[in-house]
Amino acid sequence: MRRLWGLVLAAGSAFALAGIALNRGESINALWLLAAAGCIYTLGYRWYAAWIAARVLACDPSRATPAERLDNGRDYVPTARWIVFGHHFAAIAGPGPLIGPTLAAQFGYLPGTLWILIGAVLGGCVQDMVVLFASTRRDGRTLGQMARDELGPVGGLAALFGTLAIMIILIAVLGLVVVNAMRHSAWAASTVFATIPVALLVGLYLRSLRPARVAEATAIGVVLLLAAVVGGGWIDHQPALRALFDLDGRTLAWFVMGYGFVAAILPVWLLLAPRDYLSTFLKIGTIVLLAVAILVLRPELRMPALTRFVDGSGPVFAGKLFPFVFITIACGAISGFHALISSGTTPKLLRSERDIRLVGYGAMLVESGVAVMAMIAATLLDPGVYFAINSPLALLGGTPDAAVATLTQWGFPVTAAQMQALARQVGEATLFARTGGAPSLAVGMADILAGVFGTRLLALWYHFAIMFEAVFILTTLDAGTRVGRFMLQDALSGLWAPLGRTSWYPSVVLSSALVVAAWGYFLYVGVIDPYGGINMLWPLFGISNQMLAAIALAVVTAILVKSGQARRAWISGLPLAWLAVVTSTAAWQKLFSANPKIGFLAGAGDLAGKLAQGALPPDKAAVAGQLILNQRIDAVLTALFLLVLWTVIMDMLRISWRHVQGAPVPRSAEAPYQRSALPEAAHA
């Protein structure tokens, strides 16, 4: 029966994928994408993930986890499986699965959708689960620590440095997306601000007021989050209050930096875990609501399967379909950032190895589903509206009238009156050049939901979607900053041992401040960029994110080989090989392309030449020096990341070969077996 069920799902997956891939010349219904995703995800979780957990990893529910053995009430805390799932999903599901597919819709719906589905099941989910398993078996060590232990000093040092540096870039871009979503939007800003005290209240409720009353705390938190959206609309219509929350990008950048610092130093139970848990309800609930709305409406996708911009001339971001669709999609298919969470906060909360499949593989499947929904929401928009929202005005002529003329000439007709009417409907002053993907995704989501619940609520749904996206981002930002703190503390321990103690408060404050200062610099530079920052920083985000995934896959491949699973190490080795090719190609183009829209050095040179000739308007000339410097820094970072990636890969190959040949290699850092005393271990 199981085999028959598997064959039915396989046939359904193949049929749905064929319908998506082979359709040409006419619109396609969004239900095809949902059907393909449902079948493929079920196959992946039910059979592939179960096989890996049982045959490759040999997960053992009777074994005590680090959360049980090292419980300190701050970072190591045995936590219920669904709260761990909620924390993990919320922490990994940042803007990537929302923004990446939205931006990649520039190429059409087909390339991004195929990569989201295939890349997640065979790559992203596998990475998350195997890294979580490896870290759980090693006292919750970070990815950099595992690389140092398992590969030795060369690969370990490269991975530790690369992981920390890459994470700085990732968090900066997360912050930039949320700043762009809240910029000069009192409704959005007030709603996002309100989510912070709600999370604190839930944390205190579960810890002190009503311990273990998860259902009560959840109900209170969800009701307050929804009230925050409605309250934001009320604030937006009160001139005095609106002025308090109508903030520019620089002010919001300081807010995001302050939030990241505070979240990193507070106990995990007070803000991080309850916020992530609550946001998981919001995220999954919203995605389910969108899926139901799509089933009711059965809308046709308006974006073609492939657009003219596959040649690299796109206005949203520059670069050809290969390799840039893969680094743009990023988190929706596979994300290196996930490896930081899987080896950072999550293994310190896990009660049982039985939950590794659910938390590791399952949470990433849900994130991939979010990416599919984002692709649907983006491609349901009129293409002219999509490009008007996501393209910088400077690239479309400098004014709304010039922008609509340019887009119409390209074959994506839209009018200024149409854009103005849409902005009024969603409660915004303008939707032109709201780069970053978040506003256009919110418009698409609001349009779907309004189609079922009534267009009079379009503004409410739009700001609900903005809050939905911002909560995604901030939960990833605070978890990422905490993980960065763990890695920096590990690095600083070489200077003075107490700095490596993760719960020593002076070290917590110092390391958190240093991490926030590092990503805050790139966030600030992105905020002052007249082109919106995304065109410059998102490609670096994508390259560094995928390189980090490749580093994580290299480390766990070495661990699998050393643990006697060399014949099955292909489960991580094949995704590693693909990412190595994709990221190396993308990095080479970003370094050496003569096109100033693609190459960092070419872009810096072009901007410097225009500045010297006085060809820049005053507002752009005022920040040109900073942007030139930043593009050159981006080039240096890209080269360093490329060097780190191949250093780790070559060291992994060396260690694996030596192990297979019987030569000495670094000993496994896996902790000795200790039987769990928790109730669930009795049933193992």
Side-chain angles (χ1 to χ4, degrees):
M1 191 65 175
R2 288 183 179 179
R3 185 171 297 177
L4 177 61
W5 177 235
L7 290 173
V8 171
L9 281 174
S13 302
F15 182 73
L17 280 178
I20 296 170
L22 301 179
N23 182 74
R24 291 292 185 275
E26 58 185 49
S27 60
I28 184 172
N29 197 286
L31 293 182
W32 283 96
L33 276 65
L34 290 184
C39 291
I40 291 172
Y41 294 158
T42 304
L43 277 174
Y45 186 79
R46 178 62 185 83
W47 278 276
Y48 191 44
W51 176 78
I52 293 174
R55 301 290 184 177
V56 182
L57 305 181
C59 294
D60 185 357
S62 72
R63 188 184 186 109
T65 64
E68 179 184 356
R69 291 185 291 102
L70 306 175
D71 184 2
N72 62 7
R74 174 175 290 274
D75 296 313
Y76 291 86
V77 182
T79 308
R81 66 188 312 218
W82 287 109
I83 291 183
V84 178
F85 177 89
H87 154 71
H88 187 76
F89 171 70
I92 66 173
L98 296 170
I99 306 307
T102 302
L103 298 178
Q106 168 178 267
F107 294 130
Y109 69 79
L110 177 60
T113 300
L114 292 178
W115 175 236
I116 289 167
L117 297 178
I118 297 170
V121 170
L122 299 181
C125 298
V126 173
Q127 174 209 240
D128 291 17
M129 183 168 70
V130 178
V131 171
L132 177 59
F133 170 83
S135 181
T136 301
R137 285 284 176 95
R138 288 160 179 78
D139 291 338
R141 283 184 172 89
T142 64
L143 178 62
Q145 290 172 317
M146 289 194 294
R148 182 185 59 197
D149 294 340
E150 303 292 340
L151 299 180
V154 177
L157 182 62
L160 185 62
F161 166 78
T163 299
L164 184 57
I166 288 171
M167 193 195 60
I168 296 300
I169 301 300
L170 302 186
I171 299 176
V173 178
L174 306 185
L176 179 61
V177 172
V178 77
V179 167
N180 283 345
M182 294 191 296
R183 190 197 307 251
H184 292 299
S185 177
W187 193 337
S190 60
T191 301
V192 172
F193 291 173
T195 64
I196 298 172
V198 171
L200 292 171
L201 174 62
V202 171
L204 290 170
Y205 193 91
L206 286 172
R207 185 76 172 188
S208 303
L209 300 177
R210 301 273 285 177
R213 301 285 185 172
V214 176
E216 291 180 16
T218 301
I220 293 171
V222 170
V223 169
L224 289 176
L225 285 179
L226 297 177
V229 179
V230 177
W234 179 80
I235 288 173
D236 192 51
H237 289 86
Q238 308 300 315
L241 293 176
R242 177 184 173 83
L244 294 176
F245 294 98
D246 187 2
L247 304 173
D248 61 18
R250 301 187 189 203
T251 303
L252 289 168
W254 285 110
F255 158 75
V256 170
M257 285 184 261
Y259 169 79
F261 174 73
V262 171
I265 65 175
L266 289 177
V268 68
W269 59 265
L270 180 57
L271 179 59
L272 184 67
R275 181 188 182 90
D276 292 354
Y277 177 65
L278 278 177
S279 63
T280 298
F281 275 91
L282 177 66
K283 295 168 186 177
I284 295 178
T286 302
I287 293 303
V288 171
L289 190 63
L290 282 172
V292 170
I294 289 171
L295 289 173
V296 172
L297 296 175
R298 300 185 298 279
E300 301 286 325
L301 302 184
R302 298 185 184 181
M303 190 73 74
L306 296 170
T307 70
R308 56 178 287 176
F309 300 125
V310 295
D311 64 357
S313 62
V316 178
F317 62 90
K320 292 185 178 181
L321 181 65
F322 180 87
F324 288 100
V325 70
F326 302 101
I327 66 168
T328 302
I329 291 290
C331 309
I334 181 169
S335 170
F337 182 83
H338 296 190
L340 304 182
I341 307 302
S342 293
S343 63
T345 53
T346 302
K348 298 176 176 65
L349 302 175
L350 208 66
R351 287 175 63 95
S352 170
E353 287 190 4
R354 179 186 284 115
D355 302 334
I356 286 176
R357 176 182 166 213
L358 169 70
V359 175
Y361 200 98
M364 176 57 206
L365 271 187
V366 177
E367 172 164 350
S368 182
V370 172
V372 171
M373 297 304 300
M375 179 63 73
I376 291 173
T379 53
L380 286 177
L381 289 175
D382 184 281
V385 171
Y386 167 85
F387 286 110
I389 296 175
N390 285 291
S391 305
L393 277 180
L395 295 179
L396 298 179
T399 66
D401 289 337
V404 299
T406 301
L407 291 172
T408 301
Q409 183 181 0
W410 286 346
F412 304 109
V414 66
T415 66
Q418 180 184 358
M419 292 298 298
Q420 186 178 6
L422 182 58
R424 281 198 307 268
Q425 286 178 313
V426 299
E428 294 287 1
T430 181
L431 286 173
F432 275 106
R434 296 293 297 274
T435 58
S440 66
L441 177 60
V443 171
M445 291 173 59
D447 190 56
I448 295 171
L449 296 173
V452 175
F453 300 102
T455 56
R456 289 188 302 171
L457 298 176
L458 189 63
L460 182 66
W461 285 120
Y462 171 82
H463 286 93
F464 173 82
I466 288 290
M467 187 267 285
F468 163 81
E469 295 170 31
V471 166
F472 258 86
I473 296 164
L474 289 180
T475 50
T476 307
L477 185 144
D478 54 30
T481 303
R482 184 176 289 262
V483 172
R485 186 250 289 180
F486 291 150
M487 290 191 290
L488 185 58
Q489 285 178 296
D490 180 58
L492 293 175
S493 65
L495 300 177
W496 188 35
L499 292 176
R501 286 158 45 192
T502 57
S503 297
W504 187 49
Y505 229 67
S507 175
V508 169
V509 173
L510 173 63
S511 55
S512 298
L514 291 175
V515 170
V516 171
W519 61 255
Y521 167 79
F522 289 98
L523 168 60
Y524 188 79
V525 169
V527 166
I528 66 173
D529 182 1
Y531 292 95
I534 289 295
N535 208 328
M536 180 171 58
L537 285 180
W538 192 270
L540 181 62
F541 169 91
I543 291 171
S544 58
N545 181 285
Q546 300 298 276
M547 283 186 175
L548 183 54
I551 290 171
L553 288 167
V555 172
V556 296
T557 299
I559 289 174
L560 289 176
V561 171
K562 290 170 62 178
S563 64
Q565 292 284 1
R567 290 188 304 111
R568 292 168 173 164
W570 57 265
I571 66 166
S572 56
L574 289 180
L576 166 62
W578 172 252
L579 287 183
V581 171
V582 169
T583 55
S584 297
T585 303
W588 185 267
Q589 291 187 21
K590 295 303 292 185
L591 284 171
F592 300 113
S593 173
N595 185 345
K597 294 181 179 179
I598 298 176
F600 288 132
L601 295 176
D606 180 69
L607 194 57
K610 291 179 179 177
L611 180 64
Q613 297 168 9
L616 294 175
D619 59 328
K620 294 177 184 176
V623 297
Q626 185 67 61
L627 297 179
I628 292 168
L629 173 63
N630 200 64
Q631 292 221 53
R632 289 170 178 166
I633 291 175
D634 289 349
V636 172
L637 288 174
T638 301
L640 283 175
F641 295 160
L642 193 59
L643 177 63
V644 166
L645 170 64
W646 283 101
T647 298
V648 174
I649 290 176
M650 297 307 295
D651 215 28
M652 178 274 294
L653 292 173
R654 180 183 66 85
I655 293 295
S656 299
W657 177 255
R658 287 178 61 84
H659 177 81
V660 171
Q661 295 299 309
V665 296
R667 294 180 59 185
S668 172
E670 183 173 308
Y673 175 88
Q674 179 178 327
R675 185 168 182 82
S676 172
L678 296 176
E680 50 262 42
H683 304 289

